[in-house]
Amino acid sequence: MRLSKTFIKTLREAPKDEVARNGALLSRAGYIHKELAGIYDYLPLGVSVIEKIKNIIREELNAIGCEEVQMSALQNPELWEATGRFSDQEVDIWFKTELASGGTLGLAPTHEEPMTNMLKTYISSYKDLPLYVYQFQTKFRNELRAKSGVMRGREFLMKDLYSFHTSEDDLDIFYEKVEKTYARIFNRLGIGDSTFKTFASGGIFSKFSHEYQTILPVGEDTIYYNADKSLVFNKEVFTDEVLAEFNANANDFTEVKAAEVGNIFKLKHKYSKPLNLKYTSESNQEQYVYMGCYGIGVSRLMGVIAEKFADEKGLVWPEEIAPFKYYLVGIGEKGIAEAEKLYKGHENEILFDDREARPGEKFADAELIGIPYRVVISDKTLAEGKVELTSRRDGESKLVDLKELFV
Amino acid sequence: MRLSKTFIKTLREAPKDEVARNGALLSRAGYIHKELAGIYDYLPLGVSVIEKIKNIIREELNAIGCEEVQMSALQNPELWEATGRFSDQEVDIWFKTELASGGTLGLAPTHEEPMTNMLKTYISSYKDLPLYVYQFQTKFRNELRAKSGVMRGREFLMKDLYSFHTSEDDLDIFYEKVEKTYARIFNRLGIGDSTFKTFASGGIFSKFSHEYQTILPVGEDTIYYNADKSLVFNKEVFTDEVLAEFNANANDFTEVKAAEVGNIFKLKHKYSKPLNLKYTSESNQEQYVYMGCYGIGVSRLMGVIAEKFADEKGLVWPEEIAPFKYYLVGIGEKGIAEAEKLYKGHENEILFDDREARPGEKFADAELIGIPYRVVISDKTLAEGKVELTSRRDGESKLVDLKELFV
C-alpha cells in the first residue's frame, strides 16, 4: 500500500475522550475511528489486522474440523425466553429494539440460544454427532461504561465456537483439543508466553470454567499464578477452599493484572435441555445433546496486543498480524527510485511511505504505525549495494542485501 | 468438503412460512437458516457464496483504487439529526435502541452520515482528494413486511462505496468509472446479460439516480427497455415528460419485472453541507466536498441469482460464485476408491458426496445444491479410464479424462 494513496493519516491527537492507550494509539496511527464510547470503525490498517487475526483462528479451527457459519444479529426473543435469558434482570447488557410489525427483538450479546435452536434442524441421530460450528460475528453489549478502547466494546467482533456431542466423554476429548488449538492460536498471535488458561467461576453445571488471560498492567482482571505458571486462578476462585482442592498454598502464587482474551466452557445440557435439542442414541433412546462453547474476542485481541507491545513511540505489532511486514522509505532521488522498484510486486508486504515529507516525519510515522521492519534506501545504503533494515521491536538496524528481504 | 463431515443436510421441506422461492430453495439446499421473517443465518455453503460475491466486488473496487473499511452498526443520532434523517417521519425503517447510560442509538440502515463525518478527520486539503472508501457491512431496515427470502432482509449485507471529490467534473469521471466496474462485476457474477443500468428517480440534487436492475419475474420493480436495451427506465420515471427528454416513444419499450441489485447516486453536497465536510482549495478557499455513493446488495444478489437460474430440480449457480465447482460421487467399491483419490488435493473445488446413500439420492442432492458440474466415477466409467461429467445448467453428460477436470 502506498501511504500517498490511502485516505488515512497519522494524527497528533487522539479523540479527546479516549482515555485508553490502545484506543488512543490505534486512533492516532490510523487503525480505528471512534464513533461513540465503545463503538469504533475499522480503517484499512485496522481491517487488515482484524482479518489476519481472523485467518489465524480460522486456519486453526478448520484444522480440527470446525465449520464456519454466520448467524444474525437480530434475535428472536422466544429462544431466549426458553432459557430465561431475555429478561433485563437476568442479562443486563441487552440492546433491544422494536419491530415495526410488532414485537421486541434483541441484538445478540452472544449466540448460544440461536445456535442450539438452529442445530435442531440438523441433529437427529447419534450419527450426526459430534459437530463443531463457529462464526466471527459482531456482538452487542449495552455496557454502562466503555472506557477501554477496543478492549471493551459495546459493539465488538467475537469468534464463537459451539460443539455438540453424544456424551460428556466426547465433550471432554474435544474440549482438550480446543485447549491445544487455543495455545497454538495465542502463540501465532505473538502472546503465547503471556497468555494462560485460568480457572474461573463456573455455572450451574460446572464448578469451573476456563478463561484465557493475557498478562497486562491495564487489564481489568486479577489473576494468580504459581512458579511455573501451570496453575492460574482468576481472583473470584482464588479462595482457601479452591486452593485446598488443588493442594496449593496461596503464598506460592503471584498476583498480576490481566485481560481476558478467550474463554471455554462445558455447557453440557444447559442450553440443549430448555431448547430441546435431542438426538436418538444407538439404542434408539432420545437424549439431550452435550454442548461446549469456546470464545475468542477478536477486536479485543487487537486492543490487548496493541497495549501489550506499544512503547513511547507507538504501536509494535507481532509479525503475523502486522498489516504489513515492511515500512519502506526512499531517501534522495536514487533512493526513491530504488524504493519504487522494490515496492513493485510486493504491494501486500510493504507499506510504502511515498509521501512528500521529511525522512524524520516518515520515521516517526513508521514507529507510530508499528510495522515490524523499517526499510530505508538512500545514497549511503546504495553505495554498499544494500538497504537499511530496522526492527521496530528492538530498534536495531543493519545493512542487508535486497535479496534477504523477501525470503 | 466432505458431505459426511458437514453438519448441513438437504431438507425435504422449506420453513412453513417461507413463501419466496429463493428462501425455500436456499433453506432446503443447506445455504441458509431462517431466524425470523427477513432475518437469516448463513450456513457453510451460504458463507462460501457470500464470500465469493464479496471477493469479486472487492477485486474490482480495489482495482480502481478503493479502500476497504468497516464501520459500526450502532449509530450516533447527532450525525443523522444534522441531515434530518433520524426522525421516524423522515426515515421509516429505523431500528432504534436505548443506551444503558442514557440516549437513543440507531442501527445503521445505510452509512452516508457516519462516513461523511469520519472523513472530516482525514480530508482538509485538495491534496487529500479524490478518495474512494467502501465496506461490506450489515444493514438493518425495519421493513413492515419481509416475504422475499434473502432478496429483502431486515438484516442484510451490503457493499457501500462512497467517493469524495473537489469538483463535480471529478465526481462525473469517477462515476463513469464505477459504471464500467459495475458492468464487470455483474458479468463476473453471471448476470451481466440480464442486468441493466436504469434511470430511476433522483433526489433534491439530481434529476435521476441510476439503479442496476436484473430481469426477474418475481422482482419487486417494473422496468421498461428499448430494442437494444441501451435505454432502460424504472416505472417511476417512465413518463411522457421524461421520454420526451430522451426523444423516445413509449411504444418502443417493453415492460418487464426486475430486481434492484445496485444503485449509484451523485450526492454532490447533500451530506457534506449539513455535516460540514470541507476542503481547502488550491486558491486557499474553503469548499464543500463533492460526494457520490454506490451500493450493491450482496446477500440480495445471492437471492436474485438463486431465483434467476433455479429450475424445478433446485439451484443452479454460475461457476464464479458456486461454493464448489464439482460435486463428486463414486459408485461401487472401485468408483468410491477412485473418488477418494480424486478428492485429495482438490478439497476446495470438490463437494464430495461420501455419504452412505444410494446414487439416486446423491444425484438429487447434487441438483438441489446446484454445483456446476457433477462428476461420477463408476465401474462403467473406469472401464473406459474416464469419469462422467454432467453440467448442472443443461444436464448434458460426457465422459472425460481425469486430466481434463482440473485445468
Side-chain angles (χ1 to χ4, degrees):
Chain A
M1 187 166 92
R2 287 176 184 275
L3 265 183
S4 69
K5 297 288 182 198
T6 175
F7 76 86
I8 53 156
K9 295 173 186 175
T10 57
L11 308 174
R12 293 239 172 115
E13 304 286 340
K16 276 197 298 288
D17 54 348
E18 185 62 83
V19 294
R21 187 169 71 147
N22 74 84
L25 280 176
L26 290 167
S27 293
R28 286 187 49 220
Y31 288 77
I32 61 174
H33 173 259
K34 187 174 191 163
E35 287 289 339
L36 288 164
I39 304 172
Y40 293 89
D41 305 316
Y42 293 81
L43 307 181
L45 292 175
V47 168
S48 174
V49 172
I50 292 286
E51 286 304 314
K52 289 188 179 198
I53 295 173
K54 281 167 68 178
N55 277 333
I56 288 172
I57 297 172
R58 182 180 282 132
E59 281 174 20
E60 295 294 341
L61 293 185
N62 290 353
I64 58 169
C66 303
E67 297 182 81
E68 187 172 352
V69 301
Q70 176 88 63
M71 304 196 77
S72 68
L74 292 171
Q75 293 297 302
N76 180 354
E78 276 182 29
L79 305 178
W80 300 78
E81 280 157 2
T83 61
R85 296 213 295 176
F86 199 63
S87 91
D88 295 323
Q89 283 68 50
E90 276 303 313
V91 174
D92 62 359
I93 44 77
W94 274 109
F95 281 110
K96 291 178 180 172
T97 189
E98 298 300 315
L99 257 180
S101 56
T104 300
L105 300 180
L107 284 171
T110 174
H111 281 86
E112 282 84 3
E113 279 80 351
M115 182 65 83
T116 307
N117 180 64
M118 183 173 84
L119 270 292
K120 286 163 72 174
T121 305
Y122 297 102
I123 294 174
S124 55
S125 153
Y126 69 93
K127 292 180 190 164
D128 299 324
L129 296 167
L131 289 175
Y132 323 119
V133 186
Y134 75 99
Q135 63 174 347
F136 296 97
Q137 171 63 317
T138 305
K139 311 290 182 194
F140 296 88
R141 294 190 188 170
N142 205 341
E143 308 275 1
L144 257 181
R145 277 166 298 277
K147 296 187 170 181
S148 302
V150 295
M151 283 175 57
R152 181 173 290 278
R154 287 177 162 135
E155 175 178 345
F156 61 97
L157 189 67
M158 197 170 139
K159 181 283 295 176
D160 41 327
L161 162 67
Y162 305 86
S163 69
F164 302 86
H165 310 266
T166 54
S167 70
E168 193 163 350
D169 283 353
D170 195 56
L171 167 58
D172 290 345
I173 290 167
F174 185 71
Y175 194 85
E176 278 178 35
K177 212 180 253 185
V178 173
E179 288 178 354
K180 294 200 179 88
T181 295
Y182 270 35
R184 274 196 299 276
I185 289 169
F186 294 120
N187 276 332
R188 289 182 63 183
L189 291 171
I191 52 171
D193 56 359
S194 58
T195 301
F196 305 104
K197 190 185 80 172
T198 69
F199 287 90
S201 60
I204 305 168
F205 293 88
S206 304
K207 185 149 189 180
F208 300 110
S209 67
H210 291 113
E211 289 184 356
Y212 285 81
Q213 292 273 1
T214 304
I215 293 178
L216 192 68
V218 300
E220 293 179 333
D221 295 324
T222 301
I223 62 171
Y224 296 83
Y225 62 80
N226 64 357
D228 65 1
K229 292 171 184 154
S230 61
L231 204 52
V232 191
F233 295 101
N234 276 21
K235 189 171 192 168
E236 75 267 17
V237 298
F238 191 65
T239 64
D240 290 340
E241 191 196 335
V242 168
L243 286 165
E245 205 177 312
F246 286 89
N247 282 322
N249 186 322
N251 297 326
D252 300 334
F253 285 77
T254 306
E255 181 186 296
V256 71
K257 300 297 279 180
E260 184 190 348
V261 289
N263 56 56
I264 58 178
F265 207 98
K266 294 180 185 175
L267 299 171
K268 299 181 189 172
H269 295 151
K270 185 170 177 185
Y271 296 97
S272 55
K273 219 165 189 169
L275 289 162
N276 206 29
L277 174 61
K278 290 181 175 174
Y279 72 97
T280 308
S281 72
E282 267 184 277
S283 56
N284 212 25
Q285 307 237 302
E286 284 224 313
Q287 309 207 310
Y288 289 113
V289 172
Y290 282 86
M291 287 175 59
C293 72
Y294 317 84
I296 290 182
V298 176
S299 46
R300 165 176 286 207
L301 265 170
M302 179 171 163
V304 168
I305 294 170
E307 287 276 359
K308 181 137 197 92
F309 298 112
D311 60 22
E312 72 287 353
K313 294 171 184 165
L315 297 164
V316 184
W317 294 111
E319 213 172 302
E320 271 226 60
I321 63 164
F324 296 92
K325 185 171 180 184
Y326 299 109
Y327 191 100
L328 177 62
V329 177
I331 300 179
E333 205 172 318
K334 260 202 221 157
I336 290 171
E338 284 299 315
E340 285 284 349
K341 275 192 220 161
L342 179 61
Y343 179 63
K344 288 226 171 65
H346 298 288
E347 291 84 354
N348 293 328
E349 294 157 277
I350 293 176
L351 183 56
F352 183 17
D353 195 343
D354 62 339
R355 297 172 301 176
E356 286 182 30
R358 288 179 299 102
E361 270 180 63
K362 295 185 179 185
F363 294 171
D365 276 352
E367 285 172 327
L368 176 58
I369 296 172
I371 304 300
Y373 299 99
R374 189 185 74 196
V375 176
V376 174
I377 310 182
S378 65
D379 285 346
K380 209 173 101 191
T381 71
L382 286 172
E384 303 196 41
K386 305 210 175 206
V387 302
E388 184 201 56
L389 185 71
T390 306
S391 158
R392 175 66 182 91
R393 184 156 286 191
D394 58 22
E396 280 179 26
S397 290
K398 55 183 177 178
L399 290 176
V400 300
D401 273 359
L402 267 182
K403 276 174 279 178
E404 290 177 49
L405 288 184
F406 300 102
V407 284
Chain B
M1 187 165 92
R2 286 176 184 275
L3 264 184
S4 70
K5 298 287 181 201
T6 174
F7 77 87
I8 53 154
K9 296 174 185 172
T10 56
L11 308 173
R12 293 239 172 111
E13 304 286 341
K16 276 197 296 290
D17 54 347
E18 185 61 83
V19 293
R21 187 167 72 146
N22 73 85
L25 279 175
L26 290 166
S27 293
R28 287 187 50 219
Y31 288 78
I32 61 173
H33 173 258
K34 185 174 192 163
E35 287 290 338
L36 288 165
I39 304 172
Y40 292 89
D41 305 316
Y42 292 82
L43 307 180
L45 293 175
V47 168
S48 173
V49 172
I50 293 287
E51 286 305 313
K52 290 190 179 199
I53 295 173
K54 282 167 69 178
N55 277 334
I56 288 172
I57 297 173
R58 182 180 283 130
E59 282 173 20
E60 295 294 341
L61 293 185
N62 290 353
I64 58 169
C66 302
E67 296 183 83
E68 187 172 350
V69 301
Q70 177 88 61
M71 306 196 78
S72 67
L74 292 171
Q75 293 297 304
N76 180 354
E78 275 181 30
L79 305 179
W80 300 78
E81 280 157 2
T83 61
R85 294 213 296 175
F86 200 63
S87 92
D88 295 323
Q89 283 68 52
E90 276 305 312
V91 175
D92 62 0
I93 45 77
W94 273 109
F95 280 110
K96 290 178 180 172
T97 189
E98 297 300 315
L99 257 180
S101 57
T104 300
L105 301 180
L107 284 170
T110 174
H111 281 86
E112 281 83 3
E113 279 80 351
M115 182 65 82
T116 307
N117 179 63
M118 181 173 86
L119 268 293
K120 285 163 73 175
T121 305
Y122 298 101
I123 294 173
S124 55
S125 152
Y126 68 94
K127 291 180 189 164
D128 299 323
L129 296 167
L131 290 175
Y132 323 119
V133 186
Y134 74 100
Q135 63 174 348
F136 295 98
Q137 171 62 316
T138 304
K139 311 290 181 192
F140 296 89
R141 295 191 186 170
N142 206 343
E143 307 274 0
L144 256 182
R145 276 167 298 278
K147 296 189 170 181
S148 302
V150 295
M151 282 175 56
R152 179 174 292 278
R154 287 176 163 135
E155 175 178 344
F156 61 97
L157 189 67
M158 198 170 138
K159 181 283 296 177
D160 41 326
L161 163 67
Y162 304 86
S163 69
F164 302 86
H165 310 267
T166 53
S167 68
E168 193 164 349
D169 283 352
D170 196 55
L171 167 58
D172 290 344
I173 290 166
F174 185 71
Y175 195 86
E176 277 179 35
K177 213 183 250 185
V178 174
E179 288 178 354
K180 293 200 180 88
T181 294
Y182 270 37
R184 274 195 301 274
I185 289 170
F186 294 120
N187 276 333
R188 288 183 62 184
L189 291 171
I191 53 170
D193 56 1
S194 58
T195 301
F196 306 104
K197 192 186 79 173
T198 69
F199 287 90
S201 61
I204 305 166
F205 293 89
S206 304
K207 184 150 188 180
F208 301 110
S209 68
H210 292 113
E211 289 184 357
Y212 286 81
Q213 293 272 359
T214 304
I215 292 178
L216 192 68
V218 301
E220 293 179 332
D221 294 324
T222 301
I223 62 172
Y224 297 82
Y225 59 82
N226 64 355
D228 63 2
K229 291 170 183 154
S230 61
L231 203 53
V232 190
F233 295 100
N234 276 21
K235 189 170 191 169
E236 76 265 18
V237 298
F238 191 66
T239 62
D240 290 340
E241 189 197 335
V242 168
L243 285 166
E245 204 177 311
F246 287 88
N247 280 323
N249 185 321
N251 297 326
D252 300 334
F253 285 78
T254 307
E255 180 186 296
V256 71
K257 299 298 280 180
E260 184 190 348
V261 289
N263 56 56
I264 57 178
F265 207 99
K266 293 180 187 177
L267 299 171
K268 300 181 189 173
H269 294 150
K270 184 170 178 184
Y271 296 97
S272 56
K273 216 165 192 170
L275 289 161
N276 206 28
L277 173 61
K278 291 181 177 174
Y279 72 97
T280 308
S281 72
E282 268 184 277
S283 56
N284 212 26
Q285 308 238 300
E286 285 223 312
Q287 308 207 309
Y288 289 112
V289 172
Y290 281 86
M291 288 175 58
C293 71
Y294 318 84
I296 292 182
V298 175
S299 46
R300 164 175 286 206
L301 266 171
M302 178 172 162
V304 167
I305 293 169
E307 288 276 358
K308 179 134 199 95
F309 298 112
D311 59 24
E312 72 287 350
K313 295 171 183 165
L315 296 164
V316 183
W317 293 111
E319 215 172 300
E320 271 225 60
I321 63 164
F324 296 92
K325 184 171 179 185
Y326 299 109
Y327 190 100
L328 175 63
V329 178
I331 300 179
E333 206 173 316
K334 260 202 222 158
I336 290 171
E338 285 298 315
E340 284 285 348
K341 276 191 222 163
L342 179 61
Y343 178 62
K344 289 224 172 66
H346 297 289
E347 292 83 355
N348 292 329
E349 293 156 279
I350 293 177
L351 183 57
F352 183 16
D353 195 343
D354 61 340
R355 298 172 302 176
E356 287 182 28
R358 288 179 298 104
E361 268 179 65
K362 295 185 180 186
F363 294 172
D365 276 353
E367 286 173 326
L368 176 58
I369 296 171
I371 304 300
Y373 298 99
R374 190 184 74 197
V375 176
V376 175
I377 311 183
S378 66
D379 286 345
K380 210 173 102 191
T381 70
L382 286 171
E384 303 195 41
K386 304 208 175 207
V387 302
E388 183 202 57
L389 184 71
T390 307
S391 157
R392 175 67 181 92
R393 185 156 285 192
D394 59 21
E396 280 179 26
S397 290
K398 56 181 177 181
L399 290 176
V400 299
D401 273 359
L402 269 181
K403 276 173 280 178
E404 289 177 50
L405 288 184
F406 300 101
V407 283

PDB file of all heavy atoms in Angstrom, chain B residues 27-39:
ATOM      1  N   SER B  27     -32.876 -22.634   1.750  1.00  0.00           N
ATOM      2  CA  SER B  27     -33.064 -23.355   3.010  1.00  0.00           C
ATOM      3  C   SER B  27     -32.956 -24.861   2.783  1.00  0.00           C
ATOM      4  O   SER B  27     -32.230 -25.560   3.479  1.00  0.00           O
ATOM      5  CB  SER B  27     -34.439 -23.048   3.620  1.00  0.00           C
ATOM      6  OG  SER B  27     -34.519 -21.703   4.018  1.00  0.00           O
ATOM      7  N   ARG B  28     -33.693 -25.369   1.798  1.00  0.00           N
ATOM      8  CA  ARG B  28     -33.706 -26.818   1.557  1.00  0.00           C
ATOM      9  C   ARG B  28     -32.327 -27.324   1.167  1.00  0.00           C
ATOM     10  O   ARG B  28     -31.938 -28.439   1.528  1.00  0.00           O
ATOM     11  CB  ARG B  28     -34.716 -27.158   0.459  1.00  0.00           C
ATOM     12  CG  ARG B  28     -36.183 -27.046   0.927  1.00  0.00           C
ATOM     13  CD  ARG B  28     -37.124 -27.561  -0.143  1.00  0.00           C
ATOM     14  NE  ARG B  28     -36.679 -28.869  -0.600  1.00  0.00           N
ATOM     15  CZ  ARG B  28     -36.719 -29.293  -1.865  1.00  0.00           C
ATOM     16  NH1 ARG B  28     -37.227 -28.516  -2.800  1.00  0.00           N
ATOM     17  NH2 ARG B  28     -36.275 -30.482  -2.188  1.00  0.00           N
ATOM     18  N   ALA B  29     -31.571 -26.516   0.416  1.00  0.00           N
ATOM     19  CA  ALA B  29     -30.262 -26.964  -0.063  1.00  0.00           C
ATOM     20  C   ALA B  29     -29.152 -26.735   0.966  1.00  0.00           C
ATOM     21  O   ALA B  29     -28.000 -27.075   0.730  1.00  0.00           O
ATOM     22  CB  ALA B  29     -29.921 -26.255  -1.373  1.00  0.00           C
ATOM     23  N   GLY B  30     -29.498 -26.145   2.125  1.00  0.00           N
ATOM     24  CA  GLY B  30     -28.494 -26.007   3.183  1.00  0.00           C
ATOM     25  C   GLY B  30     -27.590 -24.791   3.083  1.00  0.00           C
ATOM     26  O   GLY B  30     -26.463 -24.805   3.573  1.00  0.00           O
ATOM     27  N   TYR B  31     -28.074 -23.714   2.461  1.00  0.00           N
ATOM     28  CA  TYR B  31     -27.284 -22.478   2.381  1.00  0.00           C
ATOM     29  C   TYR B  31     -27.634 -21.500   3.498  1.00  0.00           C
ATOM     30  O   TYR B  31     -26.793 -20.714   3.918  1.00  0.00           O
ATOM     31  CB  TYR B  31     -27.503 -21.783   1.036  1.00  0.00           C
ATOM     32  CG  TYR B  31     -26.846 -22.489  -0.118  1.00  0.00           C
ATOM     33  CD1 TYR B  31     -27.418 -23.637  -0.675  1.00  0.00           C
ATOM     34  CD2 TYR B  31     -25.644 -22.040  -0.657  1.00  0.00           C
ATOM     35  CE1 TYR B  31     -26.805 -24.308  -1.730  1.00  0.00           C
ATOM     36  CE2 TYR B  31     -25.029 -22.699  -1.708  1.00  0.00           C
ATOM     37  CZ  TYR B  31     -25.615 -23.831  -2.243  1.00  0.00           C
ATOM     38  OH  TYR B  31     -25.006 -24.486  -3.270  1.00  0.00           O
ATOM     39  N   ILE B  32     -28.901 -21.492   3.905  1.00  0.00           N
ATOM     40  CA  ILE B  32     -29.347 -20.520   4.901  1.00  0.00           C
ATOM     41  C   ILE B  32     -30.261 -21.196   5.914  1.00  0.00           C
ATOM     42  O   ILE B  32     -30.781 -22.281   5.678  1.00  0.00           O
ATOM     43  CB  ILE B  32     -30.106 -19.321   4.258  1.00  0.00           C
ATOM     44  CG1 ILE B  32     -31.372 -19.822   3.530  1.00  0.00           C
ATOM     45  CG2 ILE B  32     -29.202 -18.546   3.326  1.00  0.00           C
ATOM     46  CD1 ILE B  32     -32.261 -18.694   3.017  1.00  0.00           C
ATOM     47  N   HIS B  33     -30.446 -20.523   7.042  1.00  0.00           N
ATOM     48  CA  HIS B  33     -31.412 -20.954   8.048  1.00  0.00           C
ATOM     49  C   HIS B  33     -32.185 -19.714   8.469  1.00  0.00           C
ATOM     50  O   HIS B  33     -31.597 -18.666   8.760  1.00  0.00           O
ATOM     51  CB  HIS B  33     -30.690 -21.566   9.261  1.00  0.00           C
ATOM     52  CG  HIS B  33     -31.617 -21.868  10.402  1.00  0.00           C
ATOM     53  ND1 HIS B  33     -31.708 -21.046  11.508  1.00  0.00           N
ATOM     54  CD2 HIS B  33     -32.486 -22.878  10.604  1.00  0.00           C
ATOM     55  CE1 HIS B  33     -32.611 -21.560  12.344  1.00  0.00           C
ATOM     56  NE2 HIS B  33     -33.087 -22.660  11.822  1.00  0.00           N
ATOM     57  N   LYS B  34     -33.497 -19.840   8.482  1.00  0.00           N
ATOM     58  CA  LYS B  34     -34.319 -18.672   8.779  1.00  0.00           C
ATOM     59  C   LYS B  34     -34.487 -18.493  10.270  1.00  0.00           C
ATOM     60  O   LYS B  34     -34.883 -19.426  10.974  1.00  0.00           O
ATOM     61  CB  LYS B  34     -35.702 -18.870   8.131  1.00  0.00           C
ATOM     62  CG  LYS B  34     -36.618 -17.686   8.257  1.00  0.00           C
ATOM     63  CD  LYS B  34     -37.893 -17.915   7.460  1.00  0.00           C
ATOM     64  CE  LYS B  34     -38.688 -16.630   7.350  1.00  0.00           C
ATOM     65  NZ  LYS B  34     -39.686 -16.721   6.279  1.00  0.00           N
ATOM     66  N   GLU B  35     -34.179 -17.301  10.782  1.00  0.00           N
ATOM     67  CA  GLU B  35     -34.429 -16.985  12.191  1.00  0.00           C
ATOM     68  C   GLU B  35     -35.829 -16.419  12.362  1.00  0.00           C
ATOM     69  O   GLU B  35     -36.598 -16.858  13.205  1.00  0.00           O
ATOM     70  CB  GLU B  35     -33.393 -15.978  12.708  1.00  0.00           C
ATOM     71  CG  GLU B  35     -31.988 -16.555  12.918  1.00  0.00           C
ATOM     72  CD  GLU B  35     -31.910 -17.530  14.093  1.00  0.00           C
ATOM     73  OE1 GLU B  35     -32.778 -17.467  14.979  1.00  0.00           O
ATOM     74  OE2 GLU B  35     -30.984 -18.364  14.115  1.00  0.00           O
ATOM     75  N   LEU B  36     -36.112 -15.396  11.545  1.00  0.00           N
ATOM     76  CA  LEU B  36     -37.413 -14.717  11.556  1.00  0.00           C
ATOM     77  C   LEU B  36     -37.591 -14.143  10.147  1.00  0.00           C
ATOM     78  O   LEU B  36     -36.630 -14.108   9.374  1.00  0.00           O
ATOM     79  CB  LEU B  36     -37.400 -13.554  12.572  1.00  0.00           C
ATOM     80  CG  LEU B  36     -37.416 -13.920  14.055  1.00  0.00           C
ATOM     81  CD1 LEU B  36     -37.029 -12.709  14.906  1.00  0.00           C
ATOM     82  CD2 LEU B  36     -38.804 -14.423  14.478  1.00  0.00           C
ATOM     83  N   ALA B  37     -38.779 -13.648   9.850  1.00  0.00           N
ATOM     84  CA  ALA B  37     -39.002 -13.091   8.514  1.00  0.00           C
ATOM     85  C   ALA B  37     -37.958 -12.021   8.194  1.00  0.00           C
ATOM     86  O   ALA B  37     -37.788 -11.064   8.953  1.00  0.00           O
ATOM     87  CB  ALA B  37     -40.410 -12.496   8.425  1.00  0.00           C
ATOM     88  N   GLY B  38     -37.219 -12.214   7.117  1.00  0.00           N
ATOM     89  CA  GLY B  38     -36.213 -11.232   6.707  1.00  0.00           C
ATOM     90  C   GLY B  38     -34.927 -11.288   7.504  1.00  0.00           C
ATOM     91  O   GLY B  38     -34.075 -10.414   7.361  1.00  0.00           O
ATOM     92  N   ILE B  39     -34.774 -12.315   8.348  1.00  0.00           N
ATOM     93  CA  ILE B  39     -33.569 -12.447   9.186  1.00  0.00           C
ATOM     94  C   ILE B  39     -33.051 -13.882   9.038  1.00  0.00           C
ATOM     95  O   ILE B  39     -33.733 -14.835   9.430  1.00  0.00           O
ATOM     96  CB  ILE B  39     -33.873 -12.132  10.662  1.00  0.00           C
ATOM     97  CG1 ILE B  39     -34.482 -10.727  10.778  1.00  0.00           C
ATOM     98  CG2 ILE B  39     -32.616 -12.253  11.526  1.00  0.00           C
ATOM     99  CD1 ILE B  39     -35.009 -10.383  12.167  1.00  0.00           C
TER     100      ILE B  39
END
